[in-house]
Amino acid sequence: MSMITLEEAKTHLRIDASYTDEDAYIERLIVLSKAVVESEICGKISDMGVGEAEIAKQAMLLVIGDYYANREDSVIGTSTNALPRGVAALCRLIRNYEG
């Protein structure tokens, strides 16, 4: 079970609940976002306390938003970002530096 529901993701993305054409895609983004954040924090979200899990949840929502808005990799100019800066900043707060 994911810590972010489809309804929460759609609210974050500002998608009306009645629009269901992309529900399967958004559900995949939820799963993907968890994997991305757990990779960045070097740990499992399920092992965290409530406060840390809320930070991870916000990072997941940012990943979902970025991947939803930018469905393809693209390079403009000479700089690229692997993750939105907000995700990286949130993950630094809860990263397991010992693992």
Side-chain angles (χ1 to χ4, degrees):
M1 182 170 152
S2 178
M3 65 185 290
I4 293 179
T5 65
L6 176 61
E7 180 181 324
E8 288 173 313
K10 288 173 81 170
T11 297
H12 177 75
L13 296 170
R14 298 184 178 162
I15 297 172
D16 191 87
S18 65
Y19 177 72
T20 59
D21 289 359
E22 295 187 307
D23 284 2
Y25 178 67
I26 296 167
E27 287 173 339
R28 286 192 305 273
L29 290 180
I30 293 169
V31 172
L32 171 70
S33 71
K34 183 175 184 228
V36 168
V37 170
E38 287 184 338
S39 174
E40 282 298 304
I41 65 171
C42 302
K44 297 237 179 248
I45 295 169
S46 60
D47 294 341
M48 297 181 161
V50 174
E52 290 176 325
E54 286 300 312
I55 293 169
K57 183 175 181 176
Q58 184 60 38
M60 287 175 63
L61 287 169
L62 293 176
V63 170
I64 291 166
D66 184 58
Y67 279 44
Y68 185 82
N70 304 295
R71 296 180 185 211
E72 302 289 334
D73 286 339
S74 60
V75 177
I76 300 172
T78 58
S79 65
T80 62
N81 285 329
L83 284 174
R85 291 185 313 190
V87 174
L90 289 170
C91 288
R92 275 194 303 274
L93 295 173
I94 55 177
R95 181 173 291 135
N96 176 4
Y97 289 96
E98 297 172 8

